[in-house]
Amino acid sequence: MLQEFVEQVEKAARSVMEEMHTAIPGKITAFNAGTGFATVKPYGTYTTDSGRKMAYPTVTEVPVIIPQSQVNDIYIAFPITVGMDCLLIISEQELDAWIGGGESENDIRFDLTSAIAIPGLSNKGNAALREACSKKSLILQNGSTKVSVNKDNVEIAGNLIVSGDVKAGNISLKNHTHAGVHGDTSKAK
């Protein structure tokens, strides 16, 4: 009798845990840069109560995490594109109140409809990652244009277009002068 009770408790706990989502990899199938929301198709399958395996449903209106500080107007942005892999993090509570600024009408917990996407999940490395690790550098790369920042310097590969002035110490590239080059003084052109 005790064994049957233990089995029933284990079965109930397993059933609850199977309905609780925490994190799952997915593929972005649509993205709206205006709202910052994506549509994501999770990878994998789940098992129904009847024992059938089914693909996870597509999740819509998923907020996408982009490194930023909206309060300070500071952003790091890169294109979010269809086909990009991401990690879906499932919120403990509904996101309705956070998104809409009001109160949530439901008390749904750990549900796929309250997912947040972190783009850039990868199941393999790349040259930029290998370089960042081997040189202990921050690498920003887009095709053949690359900025590498390490503790000693900043290296730029590609064309540099500057709006404004460039200064080395207190010397302005835009407004500096040379003595004795073409007469007494010449101004940069």
Side-chain angles (χ1 to χ4, degrees), residues 5-118:
F5 175 73
V6 169
E7 287 174 5
Q8 287 298 318
V9 169
E10 286 176 351
K11 182 179 177 182
R14 199 172 311 111
S15 176
V16 168
M17 291 301 293
E18 287 173 358
E19 293 298 317
M20 185 182 297
H21 305 288
T22 55
I24 187 169
K27 183 178 289 291
I28 294 174
T29 60
F31 180 69
N32 181 328
T35 63
F37 290 163
T39 300
V40 180
K41 177 67 175 152
Y43 286 104
T45 60
Y46 68 97
T47 305
T48 65
D49 290 339
S50 63
R52 248 179 57 197
K53 288 214 178 264
M54 297 188 65
Y56 281 103
T58 297
V59 186
T60 60
E61 296 184 14
V62 178
V64 175
I65 292 177
I66 300 291
Q68 61 183 312
S69 173
Q70 288 181 335
V71 171
N72 296 304
D73 201 27
I74 299 171
Y75 306 90
I76 297 174
F78 52 87
I80 306 298
T81 55
V82 169
M84 181 181 250
D85 283 344
C86 65
L87 181 63
L88 286 175
I89 304 294
I90 314 306
S91 178
E92 180 178 337
Q93 298 181 4
E94 276 192 307
L95 298 176
D96 294 353
W98 173 74
I99 290 171
E103 295 253 348
S104 178
E105 294 182 17
N106 298 310
D107 192 25
I108 300 172
R109 299 171 60 84
F110 297 104
D111 191 74
L112 282 175
T113 59
S114 292
I116 299 167
I118 302 174

Side-chain angles (χ1 to χ4, degrees), residues 176-188:
H176 75 283
T177 57
H178 295 262
V181 176
H182 297 288
D184 290 336
T185 309
S186 70
K187 187 163 176 80

